[in-house]
Each structure stands twice: as C-alpha cells, then as structure tokens.
C-alpha cells in the first residue's frame, strides 16, 4: 500500500499531512504507540490488565486480509491501528486503534478509521467490528459519528465494554470496489 494522506482543516500552522504507512505491528513506532495506549488505558482503568483476547497480539496483523497502519504527522508516529479477518465470512475486526494525545482533534483518527474500512471492504468484508470500553469516550464518539452501532455489551466489574459494528451495504470507498457489488 502506498502512503495515503489527509489534510488537516483549520490548522494554523499550514497544511500538515497525515501519512498512513503499512508497517510491522511489532516495529519501533508501533511499540511506542502501544506503550502510550496502555498508559492511557491504565490511567482510566486502574488495575486493568491488557489481554490477548481484548487487544490481540502483533502477530494477528500478518497474513491474508490483515493490515497494520501507522500514521505519521511531521515525521512523528501519531496513530496506529490494525485489521484482521474474523472467522465469520465477510467480517473484519479493527483492533488497537489509537491516536496520541498530542495529535487528537486533527482528524487523524477519522482518517485512520476510513483507511482501515477501505482496506476491509477491498478484502471482501461486508461488516467490520470493533471492541471498546465506555471509558474511552473519544473513541466511542468517533465510531458513532462514523456509523458504528452497538451490537453487544460486556459488563466487566465496574465498567462495560462495547462491541460495535458497521455494515458497508453499498457504501462507496475511494479507490476501491464496493463489497457485495
């Protein structure tokens, strides 16, 4: 995949560009972003322990139908996320999607999500799912605004985790074919 970019609107510093690159999910940039992501989760969920079931391992993003993207702004890694197929035919899952605190509210999460969706559709997915938690309010707002709907909740102690899903139907994805067409 070549670099894909999205201009930021309203940036007083000029037309900064987010460059999304396919990289190894266990590379240095991915590792640094993962550490920051886990620190954020720990700050909002004291005592929480990351599990493979919730986050998957870096190896989940290798092989057919998978993708791992890292976004760079001004040469610095600012976001990441992955896509993997689920056993259910035509369903993909977005995992480990994260934007650094310093890069939020610039459209990077939306650009990353849109590219992961485009890749899912291009690989034949008709639906994409993701798993989040109620305390990640910024992520939930992004997903809801992008058309995801709640398809399940998982109470876990004092928090509730949430399964979200988006069906592509006849959605048009820039530069890709429509699933089911």
């Amino acid at each position: 995949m070549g670099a894909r970019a999205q201009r930021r609107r309203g940036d007083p510093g000029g037309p900064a560009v987010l460059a999304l690159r396919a990289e190894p999910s266990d590379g240095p940039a991915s590792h640094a972003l993962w550490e920051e992501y886990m620190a954020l989760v720990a700050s909002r969920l004291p005592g929480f322990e990351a599990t493979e079931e919730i986050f998957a391992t870096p190896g989940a993003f290798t092989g057919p139908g998978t993708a791992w993207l890292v976004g760079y702004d001004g040469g610095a890694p600012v976001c990441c996320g992955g896509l993997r197929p689920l056993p259910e035919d035509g369903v993909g899952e977005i995992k480990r999607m994260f934007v650094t605190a310093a890069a939020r509210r610039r459209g990077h999460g939306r650009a990353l999500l849109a590219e992961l969706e485009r890749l899912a559709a291009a690989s034949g997915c008709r639906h994409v799912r993701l798993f989040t938690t109620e305390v990640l309010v910024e992520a939930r707002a992004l997903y809801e605004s992008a058309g995801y709907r709640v398809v399940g909740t998982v109470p876990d102690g004092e928090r509730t985790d949430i399964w979200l899903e988006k069906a592509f139907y006849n959605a048009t994805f820039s530069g890709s074919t429509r699933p089911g067409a």
Side-chain angles (χ1 to χ4, degrees):
M1 176 185 89
R4 182 173 164 88
Q6 175 169 326
R7 295 195 180 274
R8 292 194 306 230
R9 291 185 290 263
D11 180 2
V17 173
L18 176 69
L20 293 172
R21 300 179 194 154
E23 293 189 7
S25 57
D26 60 354
S30 299
H31 182 72
L33 290 163
W34 171 256
E35 292 297 321
E36 186 177 342
Y37 184 20
M38 290 298 94
L40 170 69
V41 172
S43 74
R44 295 198 186 172
L45 294 171
F48 174 82
E49 291 189 32
T51 65
E52 182 179 332
E53 181 181 20
I54 293 174
F55 292 102
T57 63
F61 308 104
T62 59
T66 67
W68 181 260
L69 301 176
V70 175
Y72 290 84
D73 184 351
V78 297
C79 62
C80 62
L83 170 71
R84 69 178 183 173
L86 291 177
E88 188 177 339
D89 187 43
V91 180
E93 182 181 23
I94 292 173
K95 303 285 289 176
R96 294 187 173 207
M97 194 167 138
F98 174 71
V99 178
T100 63
R104 291 189 190 131
R105 306 208 50 83
R106 296 181 183 167
H108 295 341
R110 188 166 305 281
L112 175 61
L113 181 61
E115 181 64 4
L116 289 168
E117 290 174 348
R118 187 193 70 74
L119 292 169
S123 70
C125 291
R126 296 178 304 280
H127 300 266
V128 69
R129 292 187 187 138
L130 55 86
F131 191 67
T132 191
T133 186
E134 64 187 351
V135 301
L136 298 178
V137 294
E138 305 90 343
R140 287 181 42 228
L142 169 65
Y143 302 139
E144 289 173 15
S145 73
Y148 285 78
R149 64 182 180 84
V150 175
V151 294
T153 57
V154 182
D156 191 348
E158 295 182 16
R159 75 172 196 275
T160 299
D161 295 331
I162 304 161
W163 276 105
L164 300 168
E165 181 176 280
K166 182 175 184 177
F168 293 145
Y169 301 112
N170 290 322
T172 302
F173 292 88
S174 177
S176 70
T177 59
R178 295 184 320 223

